[in-house]
Amino acid sequence: MKKLLIALLCAALGLTASAWAESAPSPVFPTPAPDASESPAPNFQTPAPDASPSQAGGSLRASLNGEPLTLDFDADPLYSTYEGGYVQASFYAYGEADLLYELYVVFPSTVASGDVIASETAARSGDDQSGLMLFVSDSNSEACSVATQHIGGAFPEGSAYELRFDRVTADGSLYSFTGSLKATLVRVDEQYHSLSETDTLTASFTFTMNLGDASATPAPDGENPPEEGAMPALPFGGVPTPPASLVAPADARKI
C-alpha cells in the first residue's frame, strides 16, 4: 500500500479552471456520469460499532460498480493520518487476480453525529481537501479514480460524493466514526487529467482511529444537533503541484 498523505488527494485541486484548459482538453464522457446524489443508499447493514472501542480498527462494506467488496481499515499512521484539521482514513482489500483495492477518505476532524460532507457544499464552504481517492492495482497496472472539489466546483468534472456520519464519538485520543457514503469517482491519468471511465461506490463504514492531539471534540449524541445543510468553517489552504506520477515506489507496498 502506498504512502498517501492528504496533500496527494488535494494536489489536483490547485489547478484553476484556466490552467486546466491550457493543459488538457475538456474531458469527454461517452455518456453522462451518474449523479451520486441520486444513487440509492447502500442495501446492506452498517457494521455494528463497538460501544467502547479499546483500539483502532474497523471496516467498510461496499458495492463497487455493483460488486460487493469489504475493505479493512488500516490503522497504520503511514496511511490513516490526522493533519491540518483533516482526517485521512485508509481502507484496503485484496481481491481476485491479485488485485489490491485502496480507498482513502478525507474529511474535517470537526465532524459530529449527523453531519453530511458533500462535494457541492464543501466547495462552497472553502473545503478543498475532503473527498475520496480509489486505487485498483496489480503487479502490472494501476487505476486511480477521484471525487473531490476545488474552488470552482467538483473535481474531476462529473464526480460527486456524499459522506454521512451517523455517529461520532471520542474516548481520549480514540475517535470512532460510523456512517455511509456514496460517490461517483472519475478516473484520472498520471497528470490528473480526466478519463472517460467512472466508478460508482456506495458503502457503510465503522472505524476507530487514534487522532492523537486532535483539537476538535465531537458533540455528544443528541446534544446540539447540526442544522440541516450546515457546514463547519474550514481553512482554505494552498495546494502543492501535482506529482509527476501516482505510481508508488515498489518498496512502499504493503505485504
Side-chain angles (χ1 to χ4, degrees):
M1 183 177 290
K2 60 184 62 58
K3 179 178 181 181
L4 180 68
L5 300 177
I6 291 175
L8 180 57
L9 177 61
C10 306
L13 309 185
L15 300 173
T16 62
S18 59
W20 181 264
E22 292 174 0
S23 62
S26 299
V28 178
F29 295 92
T31 56
D35 186 351
S37 63
E38 298 179 359
S39 299
N43 58 358
F44 35 73
Q45 295 294 318
T46 299
D50 187 341
S52 301
S54 58
Q55 60 184 7
S59 63
L60 182 146
R61 297 175 183 173
S63 173
L64 177 60
N65 300 322
E67 297 296 327
L69 182 67
T70 298
L71 298 93
D72 293 324
F73 173 69
D74 190 345
D76 190 327
L78 285 175
Y79 310 113
S80 293
T81 64
Y82 165 68
E83 182 179 344
Y86 287 86
V87 174
Q88 174 183 282
S90 170
F91 301 86
Y92 72 98
Y94 293 95
E96 297 180 358
D98 296 324
L99 285 179
L100 171 62
Y101 298 87
E102 300 170 83
L103 177 66
Y104 296 86
V105 183
V106 177
F107 55 89
S109 63
T110 53
V111 294
S113 299
D115 278 359
V116 177
I117 309 297
S119 47
E120 263 188 40
T121 51
R124 289 198 299 266
S125 71
D127 177 356
D128 64 341
Q129 300 197 44
S130 296
L132 297 90
M133 196 175 226
L134 172 69
F135 291 90
V136 181
S137 60
D138 58 22
S139 58
N140 299 314
S141 64
E142 179 176 64
C144 174
S145 55
V146 179
T148 183
Q149 66 283 321
H150 58 82
I151 194 170
F155 180 88
E157 182 180 352
S159 69
Y161 72 88
E162 180 181 277
L163 304 173
R164 289 186 172 271
F165 294 88
D166 299 326
R167 186 169 181 260
V168 180
T169 59
D171 182 4
S173 61
L174 287 176
Y175 284 63
S176 297
F177 305 92
T178 298
S180 61
L181 63 86
K182 54 185 177 181
T184 296
L185 302 99
V186 175
R187 294 195 184 184
V188 295
D189 64 14
E190 292 85 352
Q191 302 299 323
Y192 291 95
H193 298 163
S194 297
L195 304 175
S196 60
E197 297 176 90
T198 61
D199 291 303
T200 302
L201 177 69
T202 57
S204 59
F205 58 81
T206 185
F207 65 96
T208 298
M209 180 173 169
N210 192 330
L211 299 190
D213 60 351
S215 58
T217 301
D221 288 343
E223 298 183 18
N224 302 319
E227 297 180 5
E228 184 177 355
M231 289 292 296
L234 301 170
F236 186 88
V239 291
T241 302
S245 174
L246 294 173
V247 179
D251 58 2
R253 287 209 174 278
K254 183 170 182 176
I255 298 176

